[in-house]
Amino acid sequence: LEHDIILELVGQLLEEDFVLSDFSANSIGPQSGSSYWHVDAPFTMVPEPLPDTPLAIQVAWMMDDFTSENGATLAVPGTHLSRKKPPWSYDSQEGQVELAAPAGSLAMWFSQVWHRSGENTTGRPRRALLGNYIRAWIKPHNDFTRSVPPDILSRYSPRTRYLLGWSAFGPTRD
């Protein structure tokens, strides 16, 4: 979540003041069907028309090869410009592309881009680390300030503490 290349790219897209909204490990199980087309938070809770300003970036760090057979992510480039959410559907979309790449690769997209996981027809899971970065003034999906124990927090760098929300506290009175 604190990788220099990721933070540099996210900073260019969201400007410099951003935080981590969510960070998770994702596994598409063997013999799993595809997911439905969707956008990511915070756009799931925003009515149409969606903002045309980039508010959030989704990052997928591929822990396994992403292939047609194991459920590589599918995306529809340019849909962030439509300012609409995708139809509730599992059907192919015109212009969709497959984010196939070797393990260790990184994929990034605006969170309002229509995307979904593909079908995993193999006997092995397809895994990724997913990070959702948002502009600092948007309420994050996770409140890390309540879920990270103090003894763990003390091990984090100032940069990670900032990304996890410890920058969001206003002044207090004594």
Side-chain angles (χ1 to χ4, degrees):
L1 66 100
E2 193 182 341
H3 194 281
D4 287 336
I5 293 172
I6 293 172
L7 296 183
E8 173 68 26
L9 292 170
V10 171
Q12 289 178 23
L13 297 169
L14 295 182
E15 300 172 359
E16 289 307 314
D17 197 18
F18 60 90
V19 295
L20 188 69
S21 179
D22 188 35
F23 196 83
S24 62
N26 177 270
S27 180
I28 305 301
Q31 304 301 316
S32 293
S34 64
S35 67
Y36 59 91
W37 291 101
H38 63 278
V39 294
D40 290 324
F43 299 102
T44 54
M45 299 168 273
V46 174
E48 292 179 355
L50 299 178
D52 57 2
T53 302
L55 300 179
I57 302 293
Q58 184 71 25
V59 175
W61 202 315
M62 302 169 190
M63 304 281 70
D64 297 306
D65 293 344
F66 272 39
T67 67
S68 297
E69 295 76 28
N70 74 359
T73 300
L74 303 169
V76 185
T79 49
H80 65 292
L81 301 173
S82 74
R83 302 185 68 194
K84 296 182 178 188
K85 297 177 186 178
W88 185 268
S89 167
Y90 297 89
D91 298 331
S92 295
Q93 294 288 325
E94 184 178 339
Q96 75 181 33
V97 297
E98 182 179 70
L99 304 181
S105 297
L106 180 75
M108 299 177 75
W109 57 88
F110 293 116
S111 293
Q112 68 265 46
V113 167
W114 302 1
H115 62 281
R116 68 181 177 124
S117 62
E119 181 180 6
N120 184 350
T121 60
T122 73
R124 300 182 53 87
R126 193 272 289 149
R127 300 167 298 176
L129 298 177
L130 302 178
N132 183 260
Y133 296 84
I134 59 172
R135 292 183 185 261
W137 49 267
I138 298 172
K139 183 179 180 182
H141 182 74
N142 286 305
D143 184 353
F144 297 106
T145 65
R146 293 179 186 224
S147 62
V148 176
D151 61 317
I152 301 295
L153 177 64
S154 67
R155 300 181 209 165
Y156 291 161
S157 71
R159 190 176 198 184
T160 294
R161 287 194 299 270
Y162 185 91
L163 287 170
L164 295 180
W166 270 269
S167 61
F169 297 113
T172 57
R173 295 183 192 213
D174 291 331

